Amino acid sequence: MPNSQPINFAHRGASGYCPENTMAAFAKALELGANGIETDVQMTKDGRLVLIHDETLKRTAGADVWVKDITFDELQKLDAGSWYDERFAGERVPALEELLELVRGTDTIVNIELKNGLVPYPELESKVIAAVREFKWEDRTIISSFNHYSLALCNQLAPEIATGVLYMEGLYRPWEYAAAFGASALHPYRYTVKAEWVAEAAAKGISCNPFTVNEPDEMIRLIEAGVSGIITDYPDRLAALLRRN
């Protein structure tokens, strides 16, 4: 995924302006200049891949039920927009295929985070890979996760799809850790990023895409550090900075 400037990943879509992980948020992200979209994938009771961060629907869809315990059809009856603003009433929790259809024909890179730390969704990795392959989006997809066992499995099942290691704390020589199981990117919490190790990682062929970066000063610091991408709730802020360079 060659890029002369950092990839502008919209975190759960343009979630600074729209309800997260909705088609409204994804469409707004593209409108605001994002060339990457970060999202979270889980699985319904009947095995559909859906884009939602929390393991339950309480916060964003008003139902005190787990994603794993509801069918896709039942999920589509829930309002996933009103919690954010009444203007978004009627937004639904989308299927992964809806996002891949939205970006079809664009150069958008899709970062799919596997949300299987708390719920061990069976075959989540293989189903996500199958969807990506169906849309022929292998070279424009990064699969990321805090579950590094899942990333290792993805690298075995689909070595042609990039994987990103999500982590919160400082890792010692993280590029060596990533390379040990075939990951091609580091997705660190923003505070852990240092210019020296970004350069060392890049020298080993490992890219760095920190999250979640919303303040322009911090965006500038990370751009100057040489990161490959920045994950933000406000893709317009990052787009404005990148236009100056």
Side-chain angles (χ1 to χ4, degrees), residues 3 16 29-30 33 35 53 63 67 72 75 82 99 109 112 129 149-150 155 159 197 218 227 236:
N3 213 55
L30 299 180
N35 58 352
H53 177 271
V67 176
F72 184 74
L75 182 60
S82 294
L99 172 57
I109 296 168
I112 304 169
I129 288 167
Y149 290 98
S150 277
N155 290 327
W197 73 248
E218 196 165 21
V227 299
D236 53 331

Side-chain angles (χ1 to χ4, degrees), residues 6 30 40 42 54 58 70 85 110 118 197-198 200 206 227:
L30 299 180
D40 309 280
Q42 299 193 54
D54 297 4
K58 189 170 184 178
I70 193 170
D85 191 291
V110 178
L118 188 58
W197 73 248
V198 171
E200 286 212 49
I206 306 292
V227 299

Side-chain angles (χ1 to χ4, degrees), residues 8 20 44 83 98 102 134 152 226 245:
N8 185 346
E20 64 185 59
T44 60
W83 71 274
E98 293 177 74
L102 175 70
E134 180 183 349
N245 294 344

